[in-house]
């Protein structure tokens, strides 16, 4: 199961607070799209990404 330490994109800050997300699954497509230089460790107080949640629920 590709769970990883929570990470988020620095670009989340440009979005409205309500839709900012963090990722914690390495199989998550939106998470994989975040270039390394835009990644920051931690949740930053954001909610978990829907794709990560789905993958985690499926045990992937
Ligand atoms: Zn995700």
């Amino acid at each position: 199961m590709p769970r990883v330490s929570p990470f988020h994109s620095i670009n989340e800050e440009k979005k409205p607070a309500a839709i900012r997300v963090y990722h914690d699954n390495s199989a998550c497509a939106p998470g994989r799209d975040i270039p390394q230089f835009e990644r920051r460790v931690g949740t930053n107080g954001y909610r978990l990404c829907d794709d990560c949640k789905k993958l985690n629920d499926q045990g992937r």
Side-chain angles (χ1 to χ4, degrees):
M1 184 155 74
R3 289 290 284 274
V4 295
S5 296
F7 65 94
H8 62 277
S9 166
I10 53 174
N11 289 327
E12 292 298 311
E13 273 181 25
K14 297 174 187 164
K15 301 180 186 175
I19 62 164
R20 293 174 190 162
V21 296
Y22 73 91
H23 308 271
D24 70 353
N25 193 303
S26 60
C28 169
R32 278 200 316 244
D33 281 348
I34 302 172
Q36 207 63 45
F37 68 93
E38 289 179 2
R39 289 183 187 220
R40 294 294 179 270
V41 171
T43 68
N44 221 25
Y46 304 156
R47 64 180 188 81
L48 179 61
C49 146
D50 286 333
D51 292 297
C52 285
K53 190 175 186 309
K54 230 176 284 174
L55 292 163
N56 294 343
D57 287 348
Q58 292 166 358
R60 289 204 277 153

